[in-house]
Amino acid sequence: MLSADLTARRRIVYGRRKTIQFPRRNTMESTKSEPHRVLELFSGIGGMRMALEQAGKEFEIVSAIDVNPIANEVYKHNFGSKTVRNGNILSLTAEKVTKLKVDTILMSPPCQPFTRNGKFNDINDRRSDPFLHICDLLDRMPLVKFILMENVKGFENSQACEMYKARLREAGFHYQQYILSPHQFGVPNTRHRYYCIAKRNGVDFKWKSEDTITTPQDDCGAKQTLVGTIVDTQQDALDSYGLKSATLLKHLPLMDVCTPQSTNSMCFTKAYTHYAEGTGSVYCPLSRQDFDKTYALAMGAEEDEDRKLALLRELRVRYFTPKEVARLMSFPEHFSFPETVTNKQRYRVLGNSINVFVVSVLLHEL
């Protein structure tokens, strides 16, 4: 059973939010330290683990826990089966964590309780229970010195967030909160997420702020990467990702179309390719000028559907492949999927994952 007092969970105090300049990544310096013993909760396909690698940290994943069997298979495929397990976090106890000698917890709890599609049920959504359970353990895990938690933007206004911060304070942690998106660091993808870094009292933060939420300005001094540099060009292998005729005619006007010179793309969700609107961008290999010219001709052929469709097909608009989506989410090139995992499953687990680079930036606090 969960021991948290539901009444306490509903005591909400909303803080103010300000924008400050976030440190440029070329000011960060790696420091040597003893390997961190890491517990990776809601581990998914291993994004947190890869962020540790990108941050250059010495670490050992003591245990990685997730209830999604597909995500666990992808994790095993990339990192082996030694540490990952299909487990219920509700069965985790403070004694188990202490026995593992864990000093670091990285977690990305389910975001559905805090989204529009999830009906904003917050702490009343049963999918929140594992996270709330971890909140209840915080003051009984004395060896844990560092926690990084990621969730959807909007989580900062939730009852769950207020409860989490209260439990952190009670357990002797200081914390800082962030709203960050990879496009602010030169990655051509928008994915605004809430992050909270917590450290035990007496441990300073590299980036200090008195604000409730730290939101960097858009210019973080990072060199902008173009979408065209991350896409594959073997056309034969990409034919299966082309938009179908019905989608071109009905949904293309609603879609965000990237071209090789685009400097941004929409956030990819787990429903990518399943729903046309608001689930992620599509790609056209033509220049923006050529796309606009041909698209205008197609829209002008409204009464001749055959000609309109022929012109739209000339655009060669397609979905980003799972590998390309992984690149836009800053996964390393060596990351891959088992052949048994379908494209639909690949898009779903990517949509539930993190941007590896953004987390790696924050892990410089570790």
Side-chain angles (χ1 to χ4, degrees):
M1 292 181 65
L2 300 177
S3 60
D5 182 359
L6 285 176
T7 302
R9 299 179 191 183
R10 292 178 170 84
R11 293 172 183 167
I12 307 303
V13 180
Y14 294 107
R16 58 194 178 87
R17 180 184 304 175
K18 289 187 177 181
T19 300
I20 69 168
Q21 179 67 43
F22 200 77
R24 300 187 178 194
R25 58 178 169 179
N26 59 8
T27 66
M28 299 172 199
E29 297 180 359
S30 299
T31 57
K32 293 183 179 180
S33 60
E34 293 298 318
H36 298 280
R37 292 181 62 81
V38 180
L39 177 60
E40 196 177 0
L41 301 176
F42 314 98
S43 50
I45 56 179
M48 292 288 187
R49 179 179 186 139
M50 284 176 273
L52 280 167
E53 293 175 352
Q54 284 197 18
K57 298 297 179 179
E58 295 292 331
F59 68 93
E60 176 187 358
I61 301 294
V62 178
S63 186
I65 306 173
D66 203 288
V67 296
N68 186 327
I70 301 300
N72 287 338
E73 285 304 310
V74 178
Y75 194 110
K76 291 176 185 178
H77 175 75
N78 284 277
F79 307 112
S81 59
K82 182 180 177 181
T83 57
V84 66
R85 67 183 180 90
N86 192 339
N88 187 344
I89 290 174
L90 289 171
S91 66
L92 197 65
T93 66
E95 291 73 23
K96 288 181 181 179
V97 176
T98 300
K99 188 175 181 179
L100 292 171
K101 298 181 179 179
V102 169
D103 60 63
T104 300
I105 293 177
L106 307 179
M107 58 178 169
S108 180
C111 65
Q112 291 89 344
F114 318 107
T115 63
R116 181 180 69 254
N117 292 337
K119 300 180 180 179
F120 296 110
N121 281 336
D122 205 336
I123 60 174
N124 297 313
D125 191 314
R126 295 304 300 270
R127 290 169 292 190
S128 294
D129 288 354
F131 173 66
L132 301 181
H133 178 63
I134 296 301
C135 292
D136 294 338
L137 302 182
L138 291 176
D139 62 349
R140 289 180 282 139
M141 299 188 295
L143 298 182
V144 175
K145 306 298 182 184
F146 183 95
I147 303 173
L148 187 150
M149 192 272 288
E150 180 262 11
N151 212 288
V152 68
K153 182 181 178 183
F155 175 85
E156 71 275 13
N157 296 321
S158 70
Q159 294 171 285
C161 184
E162 291 302 319
M163 176 189 167
Y164 179 55
K165 292 185 292 186
R167 295 292 190 268
L168 286 173
R169 292 190 293 267
E170 291 167 4
F173 284 92
H174 288 162
Y175 59 83
Q176 286 194 170
Q177 304 171 87
Y178 310 84
I179 298 293
L180 301 173
S181 177
H183 80 273
Q184 295 164 311
F185 300 92
V187 179
N189 182 239
T190 293
R191 193 177 184 85
H192 287 97
R193 289 295 184 267
Y194 168 88
Y195 301 89
C196 181
I197 296 175
K199 297 182 180 183
R200 287 287 184 187
N201 287 351
V203 180
D204 290 334
F205 288 88
K206 290 183 174 65
W207 307 303
K208 299 182 184 298
S209 172
E210 300 298 327
D211 303 322
T212 300
I213 301 288
T214 298
T215 306
Q217 297 174 7
D218 287 341
D219 180 11
C220 291
K223 182 178 179 180
Q224 186 65 58
T225 302
L226 301 180
V227 169
T229 64
I230 65 94
V231 297
D232 294 315
T233 57
Q234 302 89 348
Q235 189 59 45
D236 291 343
L238 299 172
D239 287 342
S240 61
Y241 294 95
L243 270 61
K244 305 299 183 185
S245 297
T247 303
L248 284 170
L249 290 169
K250 185 177 181 180
H251 297 298
L252 186 59
L254 303 175
M255 292 176 152
D256 177 66
V257 181
C258 293
T259 62
Q261 296 302 308
S262 294
T263 58
N264 207 356
S265 57
M266 287 180 58
C267 177
F268 293 94
T269 76
K270 65 180 183 180
Y272 187 58
T273 73
H274 187 64
Y275 293 108
E277 188 176 3
T279 62
S281 301
V282 290
Y283 181 71
C284 171
L286 306 180
S287 68
R288 175 59 63 179
Q289 182 179 7
D290 288 342
F291 171 84
D292 290 342
K293 180 180 179 181
T294 303
Y295 182 77
L297 290 173
M299 292 301 101
E302 202 64 55
E303 297 181 1
D304 188 346
E305 187 168 283
D306 289 340
R307 173 167 168 73
K308 179 179 179 180
L309 180 58
L311 287 167
L312 291 176
R313 284 175 175 166
E314 289 182 15
L315 297 173
R316 291 182 285 158
V317 179
R318 64 171 177 84
Y319 293 106
F320 285 93
T321 68
K323 183 66 175 179
E324 292 165 343
V325 173
R327 289 174 183 150
L328 287 167
M329 295 177 68
S330 303
F331 279 72
E333 197 62 23
H334 61 75
F335 172 80
S336 63
F337 291 95
E339 292 184 2
T340 54
V341 177
T342 67
N343 275 347
K344 181 179 179 179
Q345 292 169 331
R346 296 179 189 196
Y347 287 127
R348 287 185 68 84
V349 293
L350 283 167
N352 284 331
S353 192
I354 63 167
N355 185 279
V356 174
F357 178 75
V358 175
V359 174
S360 75
V361 171
L362 294 175
L363 284 173
H364 282 271
E365 286 282 6
L366 180 59

